[in-house]
Amino acid sequence: MSTRYAGLIERYRNRLPVDDYTRIISIGEGNTPLIQLQNIPSIIAKDVDIYVKFEGLNPTGSFKDRGMTMAVTKAVENGSQAIICASTGNTSASAAAYAVRAGIKAFVLIPDGKIALGKLAQTLMYDAQIIQINGNFDSGMSLVKEISKHAPVTIVNSINPFRIDGQKTAAFEIIDELGYAPDYHCLPVGNAGNITAYWKGYTEYAQDQGDLKAVVSKRPVMCGYQAAGAAPFISGKMVDNPETIATAIRIGRPQSWDHAWNAQKESAGWFDCFSDEKILEAHKMLSHYEGIFCEPASATSLAGALKDIASGKIAEGSKIVCTLTGNGLKDPDTAINQCKDSHPVTIDATLDAVKKAILDKM
Ligand SMILES: *Cc1c(COP(=O)(O)O)cnc(C)c1O
């Protein structure tokens, strides 16, 4: 048998709704690294194990691929010729890529302007039918839900239950790798599909371990973090004009509202929110101290973990996993703005000048 990694459906086939005859649409998603932070815990002077699940290393650069491999596999199995989604960017890039792979059409509704450059470039390259609307993600989402009653298209937003099934495999990977569930799991929350999916994954593993392996069957406390300008889970009601630099979570009307509240309650977890400054600070810390470049929205998970560790809400000795949902290359504009003050020096192309430039910095 080949040991080639074939994608998460192959790996977790017995836990996913596929059978022997299903044609699997895969680009080798999943199996992303779980990286232990080495420098940040000592910088904050706390005895904690923080791991990041770097979902930016999926084929299109975000965790959306986990859900999309399942959603498109099932759409094709059910005879669909076209898929549709509303997106802040990553869902559209992922949908477009998997549609190409399957040989079907992808229609994507994106908000006018507020989409990170890398995501737009990908979606164009994957040759999706892009429909830009004069509105935000939430209005795109309500249009998509309507249109599927009028046109033969399958919705691949996370209201599609197969998306959640694909995404729950990230929790399986974490337990398979650590040998146990972490004490806390921290996530950025936008539409709240991902927090729903992780909770489902942790719960399924815990259920089949039963009481025999108490350590493994334990589930983490789920911590959902939002941007202050797009924080319906904090205010407890929908937000009309969500605003944040973390465009992937610029969502005011989360579609998985009830499921996310359920995850919070069952896990005795919590929601919290952060200013864009705090999010960008965590974004920069990951690059500067750990060599990990994620997108701004992703860093919300670390911003939250750091606050709750500092306050003692997350105790020392805890094992914490933060999901880094997307790759930093998705949003080069924000990254470059983050480093405005570190312009490269320009010097003469001589040995002396280079030598001086190096010695000046030692
Ligand atoms: C989609 C996305 C999120 C939000 O996930 P939800 O399932 O909508 O809560 C966070 N970060 C990135 C990078 C995303 O692409």
Side-chain angles (χ1 to χ4, degrees):
M1 218 189 93
S2 156
T3 53
R4 186 180 58 88
Y5 181 73
L8 62 84
I9 297 181
E10 288 298 350
R11 180 167 179 194
Y12 294 109
R13 180 174 265 284
N14 61 342
R15 297 175 180 278
L16 293 168
V18 291
D19 63 36
D20 292 350
Y21 305 99
T22 306
R23 177 186 159 211
I24 291 166
I25 312 299
S26 167
I27 322 179
E29 55 295 312
N31 202 22
T32 55
L34 186 65
I35 309 163
Q36 184 166 11
L37 299 188
Q38 287 183 347
N39 300 316
I40 290 176
S42 47
I43 290 168
I44 61 172
K46 293 283 183 184
D47 175 24
V48 281
D49 288 337
I50 309 176
Y51 298 85
V52 294
K53 181 73 171 155
F54 193 19
E55 292 289 282
L57 294 183
N58 275 293
T60 79
S62 84
F63 75 83
K64 300 299 197 299
D65 295 344
R66 288 185 187 274
M68 210 53 76
T69 184
M70 265 315 304
V72 175
T73 290
K74 294 306 279 187
V76 168
E77 184 171 75
N78 295 328
S80 181
Q81 294 296 315
I83 57 175
I84 191 165
C85 65
S87 175
T88 62
N90 281 334
T91 303
S92 53
S94 186
Y98 285 82
V100 168
R101 195 80 168 167
I104 61 174
K105 259 191 162 38
F107 295 93
V108 307
L109 262 71
I110 58 173
D112 189 11
K114 302 272 169 126
I115 172 167
L117 197 62
K119 303 177 188 182
L120 187 60
Q122 290 180 289
T123 310
L124 289 164
M125 283 298 283
Y126 296 137
D127 200 25
Q129 312 292 313
I130 301 180
I131 304 167
Q132 198 161 52
I133 56 165
N134 291 319
N136 61 20
F137 171 85
D138 299 304
S139 35
M141 191 65 234
S142 66
L143 285 166
V144 162
K145 288 204 277 193
E146 249 341 274
I147 198 69
S148 69
K149 297 177 199 147
H150 303 276
V153 287
T154 303
I155 302 181
V156 295
N157 281 103
S158 56
I159 55 172
N160 178 327
F162 299 124
R163 278 276 308 275
I164 304 297
D165 268 325
Q167 286 169 214
K168 75 185 178 188
T169 60
F172 299 162
E173 288 178 13
I174 289 165
I175 295 181
D176 287 344
E177 188 165 343
L178 292 176
Y180 49 80
D183 301 312
Y184 297 89
H185 192 116
C186 304
L187 282 159
V189 173
N191 236 343
N194 215 22
I195 194 167
T196 300
Y198 273 93
W199 188 242
K200 186 168 191 216
Y202 282 126
T203 301
E204 285 183 16
Y205 254 33
Q207 274 163 354
D208 45 79
Q209 300 296 337
D211 289 325
L212 291 173
K213 291 188 182 168
V215 182
V216 179
S217 68
K218 191 187 60 166
R219 295 178 292 176
V221 172
M222 301 300 289
C223 310
Y225 300 119
Q226 303 206 283
F233 285 103
I234 316 308
S235 62
K237 56 181 194 306
M238 301 300 168
V239 170
D240 275 337
N241 293 300
E243 211 39 88
T244 169
I245 191 143
T247 51
I249 52 172
R250 187 169 164 266
I251 293 171
R253 302 182 167 273
Q255 298 297 313
S256 295
W257 182 254
D258 293 340
H259 292 302
W261 282 113
N262 181 58
Q264 177 266 320
K265 286 201 191 83
E266 284 189 5
S267 73
W270 57 82
F271 294 108
D272 201 351
C273 66
F274 300 93
S275 65
D276 284 0
E277 289 73 38
K278 277 285 167 207
I279 293 171
L280 290 176
E281 196 180 301
H283 179 237
K284 206 164 181 177
M285 280 179 88
L286 280 163
S287 290
H288 282 207
Y289 299 122
E290 301 287 351
I292 299 167
F293 185 28
C294 65
E295 64 174 286
S298 309
T300 311
S301 60
L302 182 70
L306 293 180
K307 177 184 168 191
D308 290 332
I309 292 166
S311 73
K313 196 169 180 182
I314 295 180
E316 291 208 53
S318 296
K319 298 189 186 311
I320 304 149
V321 172
C322 296
T323 298
L324 299 183
T325 44
N327 196 301
L329 296 171
K330 296 269 190 179
D331 192 348
D333 295 311
T334 304
I336 290 169
N337 272 332
Q338 284 263 64
C339 306
K340 281 199 295 282
D341 303 329
S342 42
H343 284 306
V345 287
T346 305
I347 54 162
D348 291 338
T350 65
L351 197 55
D352 271 354
V354 175
K355 183 175 149 197
K356 181 174 183 308
I358 291 172
L359 294 180
D360 280 355
K361 296 275 183 188
M362 295 292 281

